[in-house]
Amino acid sequence: MNSFNKILCDFRECFNNFHIWIIIPFYDIKARYRRTVIGPFWLTLGTATTILGMGAVWGSIFGVSLQEFLPYVAAGMVIWTFISSILNESCYVFTSQRSIIHNVKVSFFIHIMNMISRNIIIMFHNFFVIIAVFVICRHPLNLEFLWVFPGFILLILNSFWVGIFIGIVATRYRDIAAVITNISTLIMIATPIMWQADRLQGNRKIIATLNPFAHMISIIRDPLLGQSPSLESYFIIIGILVIGLLLSLWLYKKFVHRIVFWI
Amino acid sequence: MTFINLNNVCLDFPLYNTQSFSLRHSLAKAATGGILKKKNDKKFTVSALKNISFSLEHGDRLGLIGHNGSGKTTLLKLLAGIYSPTSGHAQIEGKVSTLFDVLLGTSDEMTGNENLYLSSLIRGKSISEAKSSLKDMGEFTGLGDYLYVPMHTYSAGMKVRIGFSVATEGNPDILLIDEVFGAGDKNFITQSIKRLQSLIERTGILVFSSHSEDLLKKLCNKIMILEHGEIKVIGYTEEVLSFYKNEKIAV
């Protein structure tokens, strides 16, 4: 079987067995919060306290009213939490499945989808925070809101190639996991989540314009805040998706047979 | 159509020492050029399987004998599709089921029932198949109300019961077994052999690695002796076992 067929085969196996990566993540989360009183809503509560704290502190530093600033921080933080979990968990997406990989032949894409759908479930829990903040701040929604859905699809598709790419590289080189943990704090600081991009002065504007994470977050956050997402951001994110997907599938094709030796 | 056809299969196993696993090492290699690379490149490969050719068809029960490290487990994993050959061709047609590690896919945080359900999904069952066989599997474990308790409260033997009942459920075309016996109390062992035998009767092809001659005689019609990753002998059980005995006496 040639390598291209192998990728197609793995895709087919992954999508024919979609029930695996729908059901298992639910049990994962259930098991993680067993014997706690409010269960996975601890995630919601954790996000809520972070957002409230950050909103209060940074809102007053920037002199923005809470009513305007909280919805901004809430939307940005929930999306960032998802992105940062994907970046960090991708490093262990194969090594954590060692026992399965060594015992049955399962498409590696299933492990990636498991991780993504677990984080989607967590994001849905966090969405209650956004809803609560919007209600409390009386934040209006308009029809631009519908842009959220294509934004999400792009977020998930991008997570897919990032999962493959980081998954393979970080399984081969164990240092990558530590590198990514370090970098993700930096990314969070350099991305307009706690601050607004239009506050950057002069040359420093490139921090937001060249930052792919800023574009990824804004195409989902803008419609939530009642603005239409910028076309430029859409082009950049779709461009990254195409290049990333090609790159990671090439990597997958080249190394899929070696992954089992590395874990 | 169920068959296994291996043609001149070789498998080289890369061995990574901790150094070549780290990025620093690769960066250092790139920065310092060729000379150091020669001295420090500690990437070994072990040729785990060499020139393996054989074919099996529906009804064949193959037993694998060999010392530790002779390639039995590697061959089983290759047949399962977990390893792919470095060179040569491996054609495996049919639904494969493996009994390597009984605890595959189980999590200590989940209850016995949840583990039975999720492990069957990972082993390729559909939701309805997994749900309908749940009661059967649960009964076979004999764990009763313990099925509703997280697995970290179980003893080692109880965990094996969970793993074993999942692994031996279903109708595979090809069944690969790497010595799984040993845990569980006496009563469970006799029960499990019975269940295993009925599973073997249902399958098209069995490949079974064991050190127990009695079991091999009972279950297999063909036997292969592996030595240093190569096939030493392959043939019908009686012939090979007598050859094996003579060989032992000669040594």
Side-chain angles (χ1 to χ4, degrees), chain B residues 214-239:
Chain B
D214 287 342
L215 266 177
L216 289 169
K217 255 190 220 163
K218 213 189 288 174
L219 298 175
C220 304
N221 67 339
K222 287 181 179 171
I223 283 189
M224 175 195 290
I225 301 181
L226 277 170
E227 208 177 77
H228 303 301
E230 285 178 287
I231 298 179
K232 198 170 180 202
V233 201
I234 180 168
Y236 291 103
T237 307
E238 288 308 318
E239 297 166 20

Side-chain angles (χ1 to χ4, degrees), chain A residues 225-244:
Chain A
L225 299 178
Q227 301 145 13
S228 59
S230 85
L231 212 56
E232 184 198 56
S233 293
Y234 256 95
F235 279 134
I236 290 172
I237 293 303
I238 290 173
I240 288 173
L241 174 64
V242 172
I243 295 168

Side-chain angles (χ1 to χ4, degrees), chain A residues 67-160:
Chain A
Q67 201 179 355
E68 187 190 329
F69 197 56
L70 265 186
Y72 178 85
V73 174
M77 255 324 267
V78 168
I79 305 160
W80 168 251
T81 309
F82 179 86
I83 295 175
S84 113
S85 308
I86 294 289
L87 290 177
N88 284 292
E89 288 177 23
S90 295
C91 301
Y92 306 103
V93 70
F94 298 133
T95 38
S96 63
Q97 304 299 322
R98 189 173 201 287
S99 124
I100 292 178
I101 292 173
H102 268 282
N103 278 282
V104 279
K105 201 205 152 296
V106 171
S107 160
F108 283 112
F109 294 146
I110 288 181
H111 304 310
I112 309 266
M113 288 312 292
N114 255 339
M115 170 192 73
I116 293 177
S117 84
R118 184 173 61 238
N119 281 299
I120 291 175
I121 296 168
I122 290 172
M123 186 161 58
F124 277 139
H125 283 92
N126 286 336
F127 249 85
F128 285 102
V129 182
I130 297 187
I131 295 170
V133 166
F134 280 21
V135 169
I136 292 166
C137 295
R138 293 171 203 281
H139 182 83
L141 284 178
N142 54 23
L143 267 180
E144 301 291 348
F145 170 76
L146 294 175
W147 280 104
V148 163
F149 298 103
F152 266 127
I153 291 170
L154 283 176
L155 178 65
I156 289 162
L157 290 176
N158 272 301
S159 305
F160 186 70

Side-chain angles (χ1 to χ4, degrees), chain B residues 38-151:
Chain B
K38 244 184 197 167
K39 275 189 199 161
N40 271 353
D41 198 357
K42 287 178 185 153
K43 205 166 114 187
F44 293 105
T45 58
V46 172
S47 67
L49 294 175
K50 265 178 282 178
N51 306 324
I52 304 280
S53 303
F54 68 92
S55 36
L56 296 174
E57 50 193 40
H58 191 95
D60 275 338
R61 275 97 181 81
L62 176 72
L64 299 178
I65 316 183
H67 296 291
N68 294 331
S70 59
K72 300 187 298 279
T73 303
T74 312
L75 180 59
L76 285 171
K77 285 189 175 177
L78 185 117
L79 294 175
I82 295 164
Y83 296 149
S84 27
T86 315
S87 65
H89 285 284
Q91 256 186 306
I92 292 127
E93 257 330 300
K95 199 174 80 186
V96 179
S97 183
T98 61
L99 266 85
F100 297 162
D101 170 8
V102 270
L103 292 180
L104 150 78
T106 58
S107 152
D108 272 358
E109 293 302 313
M110 296 185 200
T111 68
N113 256 334
E114 286 170 349
N115 271 309
L116 287 175
Y117 180 53
L118 295 182
S119 299
S120 349
L121 293 183
I122 291 169
R123 285 185 175 277
K125 287 247 177 70
S126 70
I127 297 178
S128 57
E129 282 172 330
K131 277 194 174 143
S132 67
S133 55
L134 198 58
K135 201 171 160 236
D136 243 24
M137 292 189 291
E139 245 162 50
F140 176 76
T141 61
L143 291 176
D145 285 343
Y146 271 99
L147 286 173
Y148 303 97
V149 175
M151 262 198 14

Side-chain angles (χ1 to χ4, degrees), chain A residues 17 19-20 23-24 27-28 30-32 34-35 99-106 171-176 179 257-258 260-263, chain B residues 11 13-14 16 20-23 26 77 80-84 98 100-101 104-105 109-111 114 117-118 121-123 125-127 150:
Chain A
N17 289 298
H19 60 277
I20 293 185
I23 291 172
I24 288 183
Y27 280 92
D28 273 350
K30 197 173 142 195
R32 202 184 303 173
R34 178 156 280 149
R35 284 167 57 197
S99 124
I100 292 178
I101 292 173
H102 268 282
N103 278 282
V104 279
K105 201 205 152 296
V106 171
T171 307
R172 176 67 182 82
Y173 298 105
R174 297 299 167 89
D175 303 69
I176 298 292
V179 171
H257 297 305
R258 319 240 85 195
V260 64
F261 298 126
W262 296 338
I263 52 177
Chain B
L11 180 68
F13 221 92
Y16 299 95
S20 71
F21 250 114
S22 85
L23 187 61
S26 290
K77 285 189 175 177
I82 295 164
Y83 296 149
S84 27
T98 61
F100 297 162
D101 170 8
L104 150 78
E109 293 302 313
M110 296 185 200
T111 68
E114 286 170 349
Y117 180 53
L118 295 182
L121 293 183
I122 291 169
R123 285 185 175 277
K125 287 247 177 70
S126 70
I127 297 178

